[in-house]
């Protein structure tokens, strides 16, 4: 492991920091953050000791955002929802059926577009150190096989409290049902929902596959997450320290993506072994046409429109 050593930091007093994420121990995000913490600790010779609070033990994401801005936590890993409020251009990454896979998405985030979005986020208190993989989300159902878009028509599909997700399901001819994620399994068992949607790793980890064995691999949503530090912390760091944090953040992002891919492959193998039936989407054009009203709505925001045009224009 390559460590950037900063000799002039050795004599500095130790500075304790706090890091937050919503995932359990062993999850790709958590393990990548541990790697980041170790890199920073080694490169600053122990000046920055970061304590990781995983599994949302300090509160949910909404509370964590407020804590980061108040300086009560220093490092966090957020999904794109709160970040897109600060950087409207990021909303383009929350729209369905835009990316073929995660590599397609990172082609933009690892380039000029990602740099531009990071600059906007910085002005709102978030300093992006690395773009993480939020995973590809697909639909899965309990009561019948789903092999094409029309199979979703009339189904009651669990969605998170998100305007985009609710509108997407409506445009597909289904009924959105907003249910807390921890209650999805119970919803399937009680018959209050027919389908849900999520990434492969969560589908396996939550046990949803045990009651909803039909998955339509449409990857309708591929969104980023981000490892960030607060601007309050960033402003206190020296130029050398910022370089340490940036390098450690980029390395953790690469690790997270690798761990996520392995986790997703393993999860798919595990649920397939348990009898889950998968269907691949061959033609996405009918889905994209159905989403036209949703795209049009978000085109009204200049920042979102600019990024959306850049993505669609390079498909």
């Amino acid at each position: 492991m390559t460590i950037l050593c900063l000799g002039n930091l050795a004599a500095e007093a130790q500075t304790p920091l706090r890091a937050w994420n919503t995932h359990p121990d062993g999850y790709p995000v958590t393990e990548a953050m541990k790697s980041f913490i170790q890199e920073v600790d080694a490169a600053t010779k122990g000046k920055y000791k970061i304590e990781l609070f995983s599994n949302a033990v300090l509160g949910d994401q909404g509370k964590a955002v407020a804590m980061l801005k108040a300086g009560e936590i220093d490092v966090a890993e957020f999904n794109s929802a709160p970040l897109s409020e600060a950087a409207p251009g990021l909303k383009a990454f929350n729209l369905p059926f835009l990316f073929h896979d995660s590599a397609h998405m990172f082609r933009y985030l690892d380039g000029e577009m990602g740099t531009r979005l990071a600059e906007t986020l910085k002005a709102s208190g978030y300093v992006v150190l690395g773009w993480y993989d939020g995973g590809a989300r697909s639909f899965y159902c309990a009561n019948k096989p789903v092999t094409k878009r029309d199979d979703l028509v009339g189904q009651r599909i669990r969605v998170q409290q998100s305007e985009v997700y609710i509108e997407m399901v409506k445009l597909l001819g289904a009924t959105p049902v907003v249910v807390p994620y921890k209650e999805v399994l119970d919803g399937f068992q009680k018959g209050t929902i027919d389908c849900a949607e999520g990434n492969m790793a969560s589908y396996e980890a939550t046990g949803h596959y045990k009651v909803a064995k039909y998955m339509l691999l449409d990857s309708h949503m591929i969104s980023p997450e981000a490892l960030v530090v607060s601007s309050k912390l960033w402003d206190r760091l020296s130029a050398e320290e910022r370089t340490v944090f940036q390098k450690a953040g980029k390395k953790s992002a690469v690790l997270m993506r690798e761990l996520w891919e392995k986790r997703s492959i393993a999860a798919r193998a595990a649920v397939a072994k348990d009898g889950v039936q998968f269907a691949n989407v061959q033609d996405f054009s009918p889905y994209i046409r159905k989403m036209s009203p949703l795209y049009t709505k978000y085109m009204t925001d200049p920042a979102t429109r600019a990024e959306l045009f850049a993505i669609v224009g390079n498909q």
Side-chain angles (χ1 to χ4, degrees):
M1 178 169 60
T2 301
I3 301 296
L4 175 63
C5 294
L6 302 178
N8 61 319
L9 297 180
E12 297 278 0
Q14 189 180 102
T15 302
L17 302 175
R18 304 208 302 172
W20 175 96
N21 79 47
T22 190
H23 303 290
D25 199 47
Y27 199 80
V29 167
T30 305
E31 297 310 302
M33 289 186 73
K34 287 180 182 178
S35 174
F36 166 78
I37 289 168
Q38 291 166 1
E39 288 280 333
V40 169
D41 178 66
T44 63
K45 297 196 172 184
K47 178 183 178 182
Y48 290 98
K49 290 288 187 182
I50 306 174
E51 184 177 3
L52 178 59
F53 295 87
S54 299
N55 224 15
V57 295
L58 298 179
D60 61 16
Q61 182 167 260
K63 183 177 180 180
V65 167
M67 292 175 71
L68 186 86
K69 292 191 173 185
E72 296 171 8
I73 58 175
D74 308 281
V75 184
E77 197 273 349
F78 294 138
N79 65 35
S80 56
L83 303 180
S84 62
E85 294 304 313
L90 196 56
K91 291 180 180 180
F93 289 82
N94 294 334
L95 293 174
F97 303 108
L98 282 187
F99 303 108
H100 310 310
D101 51 31
S102 294
H104 183 199
M105 176 184 68
F106 286 124
R107 190 192 312 164
Y108 298 97
L109 287 175
D110 290 338
E112 292 181 6
M113 188 178 294
T115 301
R116 188 163 59 245
L117 291 168
E119 283 299 315
T120 304
L121 286 167
K122 187 176 180 180
S124 297
Y126 308 96
V127 180
V128 177
L129 298 181
W131 295 106
Y132 281 20
D133 193 346
R137 304 176 72 91
S138 292
F139 292 105
Y140 48 90
C141 299
N143 58 351
K144 69 172 186 177
V146 282
T147 60
K148 57 186 183 301
R149 176 179 59 84
D150 290 346
D151 292 330
L152 296 171
V153 173
Q155 298 297 290
R156 295 166 298 172
I157 302 178
R158 180 270 169 184
V159 294
Q160 55 188 289
Q161 183 64 58
S162 163
E163 180 184 33
V164 171
Y165 282 82
I166 291 170
E167 187 64 18
M168 172 185 68
V169 166
K170 288 180 178 178
L171 292 172
L172 290 172
T175 300
V177 181
V178 177
V179 174
Y181 192 61
K182 63 182 179 181
E183 297 177 16
V184 173
L185 188 61
D186 187 56
F188 276 123
Q189 292 170 336
K190 291 182 177 179
T192 55
I193 59 173
D194 304 306
C195 309
E197 56 84 46
N199 63 61
M200 190 68 69
S202 296
Y203 174 60
E204 186 265 340
T206 55
H208 292 179
Y209 71 94
K210 295 178 181 179
V211 294
K213 291 188 175 294
Y214 306 104
M215 178 174 271
L216 180 65
L217 292 169
D218 64 347
S219 297
H220 53 263
M221 201 75 77
I222 301 175
S223 299
E225 299 185 353
L227 176 69
V228 302
V229 298
S230 71
S231 58
K232 291 180 181 294
L233 169 61
W234 192 252
D235 290 343
R236 299 200 308 266
L237 299 178
S238 68
E240 289 176 305
E241 291 168 343
R242 289 179 180 181
T243 298
V244 166
F245 275 71
Q246 287 172 326
K247 288 190 174 183
K250 287 181 179 179
K251 285 186 69 173
S252 78
V254 171
L255 175 61
M256 187 276 164
R257 297 176 199 181
E258 292 173 350
L259 292 174
W260 182 257
E261 184 176 8
K262 291 178 181 177
R263 176 73 174 262
S264 297
I265 291 172
R268 176 166 178 169
V271 300
K273 188 176 181 180
D274 204 70
V276 169
Q277 296 180 31
F278 298 105
N280 291 302
V281 175
Q282 303 300 325
D283 181 12
F284 283 92
S285 55
Y287 294 82
I288 294 171
R289 286 196 294 271
K290 282 286 185 180
M291 295 301 112
S292 180
L294 188 55
Y295 299 151
T296 300
K297 182 176 182 178
Y298 280 83
M299 284 285 191
T300 59
D301 178 81
T304 306
R305 182 170 62 244
E307 308 300 9
L308 194 54
F309 275 143
I311 294 168
V312 175
N314 288 283
Q315 295 282 26

